[in-house]
Amino acid sequence: MHWTRRTVIVLGSALAGACAPEPIAVTPDDLVGTWQGARWSDRTRILWSTTITAQGAITIRFLTCFNGEALTREEQTGTTTIEDSTWRIVVTSLDYSDLRSGDTEHSGGFAHDYTVTRLTNDELRYRSTENGNRFRVTRASPDAELTCPPPRIDVGSGSPTDRERDGWINRGVGDGEEKEDSATAN
């Protein structure tokens, strides 16, 4: 299986922690704009950019990297709504490309529900209602490009170093901590 299922679930960086924050009330206008996130495990990075329009259209672009090399690109388009504290993303089209083999795939017709747990001008945190995974994304420029970071220095563990994590934050991509969950198993 390629990254499609995994990247759908990881729309933001999974946050570690046992206590689930309470949902907060948001309006669709609160989410309008471009948000970026990143998630990593060992040498694999998943970066994404989510753009939401005032009309409720959503475009999510993913880039999966391994050791500094781009492996896959994916673009999902669809709609997004908020009702009774539930943020629903309906993907109507998904285009996937394996950059090494040239293989492509097109699909769509699925949805994911989330609850927003924190929203500021620069940060959005949300939780999957399906599996409880928590995510964090930061506001970004609409024209920001997704590019693979350089290979990370092997420090003997799957965790990013503070220096590496700070570099991602300073570039505006986002911050995250790896968490073993169903998203990494799919």
Side-chain angles (χ1 to χ4, degrees), residues 7 10-14 35-39 46-50 60-63 126 135-137 146 173:
T7 54
V10 292
L11 295 176
S13 301
W35 303 89
Q36 283 190 340
R39 181 176 182 175
I46 300 174
L47 302 109
W48 64 96
S49 175
T50 302
I60 309 164
R61 292 181 179 89
F62 293 95
L63 177 64
Y126 51 98
F135 306 98
R136 176 188 183 265
V137 291
L146 296 177
V173 175

Side-chain angles (χ1 to χ4, degrees), residues 55-144:
Q55 295 76 30
I58 188 167
T59 300
I60 309 164
R61 292 181 179 89
F62 293 95
L63 177 64
T64 302
C65 308
F66 179 77
N67 205 26
E69 177 187 355
L71 301 180
T72 64
R73 285 196 183 274
E74 183 176 312
E75 181 174 295
Q76 301 174 11
T77 56
T79 60
T80 184
T81 58
I82 296 179
E83 186 175 324
D84 297 329
S85 298
T86 299
W87 175 27
R88 172 164 274 212
I89 297 173
V90 177
V91 175
T92 55
S93 176
L94 180 148
D95 292 306
Y96 168 87
S97 298
D98 184 317
L99 301 175
R100 294 169 298 161
S101 70
D103 292 344
T104 61
E105 181 182 315
H106 179 81
S107 63
F110 51 89
H112 292 284
D113 292 337
Y114 302 90
T115 55
V116 175
T117 57
R118 179 183 166 104
L119 178 64
T120 67
N121 286 336
D122 299 321
E123 178 185 67
L124 169 63
R125 292 184 187 201
Y126 51 98
R127 180 180 67 235
S128 167
T129 60
E130 177 183 338
N131 57 27
N133 290 342
R134 294 187 290 169
F135 306 98
R136 176 188 183 265
V137 291
T138 56
R139 197 169 290 277
S141 169
D143 56 351

Side-chain angles (χ1 to χ4, degrees), residues 154-177:
D154 188 3
V155 293
S157 75
S159 301
T161 63
D162 289 339
R163 183 179 61 184
E164 179 185 22
R165 185 179 302 131
D166 290 345
W168 282 51
I169 294 169
N170 292 337
R171 289 201 315 264
V173 175
D175 170 30
E177 297 178 18

